Amino acid sequence: MPVEIAERWFETRRVDDAITLLWEPHVVPLMRCNIWHVRGRDRDLLIDTGMGIVSLREAARHLLEKPVIAVATHTHADHIGGHHEFDDCLVHEAEAGRLRNPSGRGTLRGSEFAPAELTMLRAAGYAIDGDLITALPHEGYDLASYRVRPALPTRLVAEGSIVDTGDRSFEVLHLPGHSPGSIGLWEAATGVLFSGDAIYDGPLLDQLAGSSVADYVATMRRLRELPVRVVHAGHDPSFGRAHLVELVDAYLARRGSAAA
Ligand SMILES: [Zn+2]
Ligand SMILES: [Zn+2]
């Protein structure tokens, strides 16, 4: 169990006039999700909400001046932990049930992972050799008390749905493979893609419960054709189109033969 007490739980970095990145530095890389705040004219987007260990709503209070749509790029614990704090939650129809009734991993303890899962994660590039947090949010915090809390899906989306902030318009891309209801938000006017865990600059996971290698291969082929300028992903640093192509090609070299 970690002994250090975190000075603050979330870090924040302004990316441009409208976009701010928040993240949880004391969460291990496997579960350290990028939380993207997009300021809109009429409403804001909060794309993923982290682990839900500490109140995101409180931490992001200075950013949340307008009505906000909490988007779930998918429903793994590290992306929806804070959704219960928001009234307006957007999710792909294939994973709405998991937002409403989170199942699966609700633990901060590495020792609660099944040995086979630890082996799979290690092979993929994530070595878990302790707990999932490296500091406590406050003194006396009990790791065993951690739960992913249910949130109400208020906006179900599918391929082609439009998410509108008043001055910006994002198209929902259904990008299954990592999970069945993984989505990206694509702004064609600027070439910005919020990709969730469909693609990021780190070890990609396609062996989880609900993953599909064949779907992932198709998603990668689709992403390769997208005229992106910048990808703001679910984990790790943002990147441009040249690196997207490298990441796609590396994945296809590894798994491409799995596609029909
Ligand atoms: Zn995920
Ligand atoms: Zn993730």
Side-chain angles (χ1 to χ4, degrees):
M1 188 166 111
V3 288
E4 190 199 333
I5 310 293
E7 212 166 293
R8 59 181 173 277
W9 195 253
F10 292 93
E11 294 290 347
T12 302
R13 186 167 64 78
R14 187 84 177 259
V15 175
D16 62 25
D17 283 351
I19 300 175
T20 302
L21 169 65
L22 300 99
W23 72 99
E24 297 167 283
H26 304 292
V27 173
V28 300
L30 171 71
M31 303 298 276
R32 188 189 302 145
C33 141
N34 289 331
I35 301 163
W36 300 100
H37 177 263
V38 182
R39 188 183 304 283
R41 190 190 66 203
D42 302 337
R43 65 195 71 82
D44 297 346
L45 306 179
L46 201 49
I47 301 171
D48 294 330
T49 58
M51 292 289 284
I53 295 168
V54 165
S55 172
L56 173 63
R57 201 177 177 105
E58 192 59 31
R61 201 173 34 177
H62 61 294
L63 294 169
L64 301 175
E65 298 157 349
K66 293 182 178 163
V68 60
I69 302 173
V71 173
T73 61
H74 62 302
T75 56
H76 288 154
D78 49 329
H79 296 258
I80 61 158
H83 272 68
H84 68 93
E85 295 191 289
F86 299 92
D87 301 329
D88 198 356
C89 295
L90 181 151
V91 64
H92 188 273
E93 55 195 11
E95 294 190 30
R98 285 193 46 142
L99 190 62
R100 198 181 286 114
N101 184 19
S103 55
R105 183 165 312 121
T107 183
L108 296 178
R109 294 186 155 145
S111 59
E112 288 175 15
F113 282 70
E117 194 169 19
L118 288 175
T119 304
M120 180 274 286
L121 290 170
R122 185 177 296 275
Y126 293 105
I128 304 293
D129 48 15
D131 293 317
L132 300 186
I133 56 176
T134 55
L136 299 177
H138 55 77
E139 209 170 307
Y141 179 78
D142 178 11
L143 272 68
S145 70
Y146 177 72
R147 299 282 180 280
V148 183
R149 295 176 51 186
L152 199 62
T154 50
R155 296 177 191 240
L156 301 192
V157 294
E159 170 69 25
S161 299
I162 299 296
V163 182
D164 182 22
T165 66
D167 56 343
R168 305 181 72 155
S169 177
F170 294 89
E171 182 185 348
V172 172
L173 308 183
H174 183 208
L175 304 172
H178 176 77
S179 77
S182 278
I183 58 169
L185 293 187
W186 166 237
E187 188 179 42
T190 59
V192 170
L193 174 69
F194 291 97
S195 65
D197 284 1
I199 191 163
Y200 49 84
D201 191 8
L204 300 176
L205 295 173
D206 62 6
Q207 307 286 311
L208 304 167
S211 294
S212 158
V213 172
D215 285 352
Y216 217 142
V217 166
T219 283
M220 286 300 202
R221 291 195 170 131
R222 182 176 184 197
L223 288 173
R224 203 182 191 287
E225 301 309 312
L226 211 60
V228 298
R229 188 176 54 80
V230 60
V231 180
H232 295 311
H235 297 263
D236 303 307
S238 299
F239 50 90
R241 180 165 148 77
H243 195 51
L244 174 133
V245 169
E246 287 173 357
L247 294 169
V248 167
D249 287 349
Y251 183 83
L252 293 177
R254 209 151 49 87
R255 303 282 205 219
S257 61

